[in-house]
Amino acid sequence: MKALTLKVFCENSDPNKLSGKQVKYLAIADALRKAIKESHIAPTEALPSARKLAQQLSVNRHTVMAALAELVAQGWVEAKERSGYRVVANLPIQGSRAINKMAKTPQSFDWKFRVKQNCAVTPKVKASEYPYNFSGGQPDIRKFPFDEFKSHFSQTCQRPKIDDLSYGDSRGEAELIEEIARYLRRVRSITEKELMICNGSQEALYMISQLLLQPGDKVAVEQLGYPPAWAAFERTGATLIAIKQDERGIDPEHLAQVFAQGKVKLLYLTPLHQYPTTVSLDISRRMQIYQLAVQYGVAIVEDDYDHEFHYDSQPIAPMAADDPAGLVIYISTFSKLMFGGARIGYVVANNALIEQVAAYKMVMNHKCNVLVQQSVAKWMQQGGFEGHLRRMTRLYQKRRDFMVQQLRSYQEQGLPIHFEVPAGGMAIWLDTGKSIVGLKEKLLAHQVYLQTEVEFCRFKVLPDELTNSLASNSANNLPENLPENIPSHLPKKEYRFIRLGFAAMNEAEVTEGLAIVMKTLYGSDY
Ligand SMILES: Cc1ncc(COP(=O)(O)O)c(C=O)c1O
């Protein structure tokens, strides 16, 4: 046997310099394992005695014995009566040496991805890091009543419901389901449907897509829309078909043509506050669209993502509230009233669908976080949720009005901007009257984050170089003249709109942020 200088293998340390006996024996076991893997001790070869090793390492013999016992337990060495410890016979050391050599120069493993992710849906730029964050659906998280919520959370932990803390019903915590169902009955007139909790509405979108779509299917979507939902649909191999839209929402005639061509399985809509334009789909179009869906057997996914915030009147009831054919899948979220990181959303549909979604969720991740669900349920039961909702609705209405006033004063100064005052939601869709190509990048350099029209377009049909530009979130890289094959909702392929979120910032921040936006857009023209 070669003289084994174990210290050489004690990676960072002399075991004696490590604190605590337990760590010391593990360090010695590690060193021995390394010596075996690198063939300094061969299979079947005897290890030096515990006494020798202890001398060599200047440690207690018991520490070495503990290290050897650890290696026996792991299957590297075996204890032979009277002849001490030996490396086990059947270790594939040659192969392991080759791999060890490889590991010195980290390799890039050739992952055989089934689906390559489209990076456009995982933005590289973090909106929340910008002092002026006009991100459209962003709530003012600084206003969230963390202390109040903390008390519900600690109550939940003080009296845990042990049964619920195990695996179990993937539909979610019964008390939260009951609270949300009661709330939806009252504010959205949704009754007689089943509800289940998801990790945000994105999870619901994903599961619904996986359950209902397959390659070759079509999903009809609004021409400008919410890319994360599109991404979930497209993951299944389904194709998106953009439906034209105007100031009343999507065009039922165009929808009828698309349905008539066949293969449309789903229609994804944001009827209350169209994302991103904020337009409400009017009643007569809703009725036409519903009738078409019944006629062609198409399910509707109704994303009611920010229904809480409607200011001037009661919001129009959702399509799910009047769904005799049972084809509407209603989804919504706590991401606007709480924050996106809460990951609480829900899906409401008839039992036949919810049963399947629940079974799918069981395979995916069992259930959502129980402690959070129970805490939110308590927050709702004890009135905190309603109170926060009322305060935020008042605040966001004031902020909407303030932004409207600011924008009007820019109009009065002669800037060519146009907008409709949104009846609800958290953003204004602003026609800047000029190309927004390159605007985003310039604003980021001035600490302003906002989203421009091009980000809400169907990236699927963009040529590769444009998809890559979007992936790096850099509108600057886009060519000045966008190519013909981008289906534009505008007569000319000129992108002019920006989405200005008004909820997340106070008046001073909005004033300063807007000043930067206008200066960047119009320079010294005003
Ligand atoms: C249109 C739309 N749907 C859904 C969501 C919410 O998704 P989640 O519940 O996954 O946070 C958002 C959030 O930005 C949204 O804008």
Side-chain angles (χ1 to χ4, degrees):
M1 186 189 83
K2 289 165 260 161
L4 175 68
T5 317
L6 200 56
K7 262 189 185 156
V8 172
F9 296 95
C10 290
E11 198 114 88
N12 311 315
S13 49
D14 178 336
N16 282 308
K17 295 207 179 113
L18 296 170
S19 60
K21 188 177 174 219
Q22 196 189 19
V23 177
K24 216 184 273 183
Y25 90 82
L26 286 176
I28 295 168
D30 251 7
L32 276 166
R33 190 170 42 233
K34 201 168 162 214
I36 296 168
K37 275 184 87 179
E38 294 182 5
S39 296
H40 296 277
I41 325 173
T44 73
E45 197 174 332
L47 294 184
S49 71
R51 190 178 45 79
K52 264 201 192 145
L53 284 172
Q55 264 172 8
Q56 198 186 97
L57 293 168
S58 320
V59 296
N60 187 304
R61 198 168 63 90
H62 293 294
T63 309
V64 172
M65 295 294 287
L68 292 168
E70 178 69 18
L71 289 174
V72 171
Q74 290 178 15
W76 291 92
V77 301
E78 55 195 356
K80 288 266 185 227
E81 230 176 288
R82 278 193 285 276
S83 62
Y85 291 87
R86 281 176 189 281
V87 177
V88 296
N90 55 355
L91 290 175
I93 290 297
Q94 287 307 322
S96 153
R97 275 174 84 183
I99 291 168
N100 275 351
K101 259 198 211 133
M102 230 162 88
K104 298 221 163 61
T105 47
Q107 309 282 303
S108 148
F109 185 69
D110 179 20
W111 303 109
K112 307 276 188 301
F113 292 110
R114 185 175 65 82
V115 188
K116 202 83 194 256
Q117 299 299 298
N118 183 331
C119 300
V121 292
T122 48
K124 307 263 185 299
V125 175
K126 211 172 167 202
S128 57
E129 284 171 1
Y130 289 80
Y132 306 107
N133 178 5
F134 286 101
S135 186
Q138 180 66 20
D140 192 341
I141 301 176
R142 298 169 297 191
K143 300 282 178 195
F144 186 76
F146 285 102
D147 280 342
E148 181 186 82
F149 192 75
K150 195 173 77 187
S151 75
H152 297 301
F153 200 84
S154 74
Q155 257 182 43
T156 307
C157 292
Q158 265 160 13
R159 283 183 286 281
K161 293 188 177 163
I162 301 295
D163 267 2
D164 295 343
L165 291 172
S166 311
Y167 299 111
D169 192 351
S170 59
R171 293 181 186 221
E173 290 305 287
E175 60 203 272
L176 182 58
I177 291 177
E178 199 182 305
E179 284 305 315
I180 299 175
R182 198 196 327 267
Y183 165 66
L184 288 181
R185 263 197 305 279
R186 192 165 53 75
V187 301
R188 302 305 279 139
S189 311
I190 295 177
T191 54
E192 294 171 30
K193 285 195 186 252
E194 298 290 319
L195 185 152
M196 74 172 267
I197 313 289
C198 301
N199 271 313
S201 43
Q202 185 64 27
E203 188 185 60
L205 284 165
Y206 178 79
M207 293 190 291
I208 292 161
S209 308
Q210 293 295 320
L211 285 164
L212 297 181
L213 299 173
Q214 60 181 333
D217 286 342
K218 294 178 187 168
V219 180
V221 298
E222 294 148 325
Q223 192 161 24
L224 291 171
Y226 183 56
W230 297 344
F233 303 139
E234 289 188 308
R235 280 297 173 276
T236 65
T239 309
L240 302 182
I241 307 291
I243 309 298
K244 284 188 212 149
Q245 64 189 79
D246 58 24
E247 63 292 339
R248 292 171 56 209
I250 67 161
D251 173 1
E253 273 168 32
H254 186 208
L255 187 67
Q257 285 164 20
V258 170
F259 279 4
Q261 283 160 12
K263 295 223 164 159
V264 180
K265 270 278 190 64
L266 277 187
L267 165 63
Y268 171 70
L269 288 179
T270 48
L272 183 63
H273 305 136
Q274 202 275 328
Y275 186 95
T277 63
T278 78
V279 164
S280 281
L281 185 62
D282 72 28
I283 287 292
S284 91
R285 285 196 177 181
R286 280 171 193 244
M287 290 170 69
Q288 276 174 282
I289 291 167
Y290 189 81
Q291 285 160 18
L292 285 170
V294 174
Q295 182 186 341
Y296 288 97
V298 176
I300 297 175
V301 176
E302 178 176 31
D303 186 350
D304 207 22
Y305 62 102
D306 64 358
H307 63 85
E308 296 90 347
F309 306 119
H310 205 79
Y311 310 118
D312 304 322
S313 61
Q314 284 303 306
I316 304 179
M319 297 173 87
D322 184 14
D323 175 26
L327 55 74
V328 178
I329 305 166
Y330 176 93
I331 59 169
S332 193
T333 181
F334 276 53
S335 292
K336 310 299 173 184
L337 192 70
M338 293 180 75
F339 34 84
R343 302 319 298 137
I344 296 195
Y346 45 93
V347 50
V348 183
N350 65 21
N351 192 43
L353 184 95
I354 295 295
E355 236 173 24
Q356 288 298 306
V357 180
Y360 194 96
K361 181 158 171 66
M362 185 69 95
V363 177
M364 227 166 91
N365 59 10
H366 289 283
K367 65 201 299 201
C368 297
N369 184 314
V370 172
L371 292 177
V372 172
Q373 288 183 73
Q374 291 180 349
S375 308
V376 173
K378 285 195 172 59
W379 188 45
M380 294 182 88
Q381 281 156 0
Q382 293 172 32
F385 169 86
E386 285 290 335
H388 182 57
L389 174 59
R390 269 196 304 277
R391 281 190 301 278
M392 289 302 101
T393 309
R394 271 200 303 271
L395 179 69
Y396 293 165
Q397 178 165 11
K398 258 180 83 187
R399 288 183 174 181
R400 177 201 63 172
D401 295 344
F402 182 74
M403 188 180 272
V404 165
Q405 180 199 321
Q406 291 271 306
L407 293 173
R408 289 206 170 122
S409 87
Y410 280 112
Q411 276 175 327
E412 281 156 20
Q413 292 171 56
L415 297 193
I417 55 175
H418 295 282
F419 62 97
E420 294 294 326
V421 177
M426 303 160 94
I428 290 178
W429 184 241
L430 185 86
D431 184 350
T432 65
K434 63 184 289 191
S435 167
I436 47 81
V437 171
L439 177 67
K440 179 161 187 144
E441 196 84 340
K442 285 186 203 147
L443 286 174
L444 290 177
H446 289 101
Q447 303 300 302
V448 175
Y449 180 93
L450 57 67
Q451 283 180 292
T452 59
E453 185 178 2
V454 74
E455 293 170 75
F456 309 106
C457 289
R458 290 199 50 212
F459 48 79
K460 174 80 191 300
V461 295
L462 298 180
D464 281 347
E465 67 275 18
L466 282 186
T467 308
N468 293 338
S469 303
L470 285 176
S472 65
N473 242 315
S474 145
N476 222 10
N477 298 336
L478 299 176
E480 276 301 321
N481 294 314
L482 291 162
E484 293 288 341
N485 62 345
I486 298 177
S488 175
H489 60 294
L490 297 169
K492 275 266 138 247
K493 302 132 284 282
E494 188 72 335
Y495 288 84
R496 299 196 314 248
F497 284 80
I498 56 178
R499 187 165 147 94
L500 291 173
F502 52 73
M505 286 189 286
N506 62 32
E507 295 187 356
E509 290 161 334
V510 165
T511 309
E512 290 162 19
L514 276 183
I516 299 171
V517 173
M518 298 307 165
K519 197 144 209 89
T520 309
L521 265 166
Y522 307 103
S524 51
D525 291 357
Y526 74 100

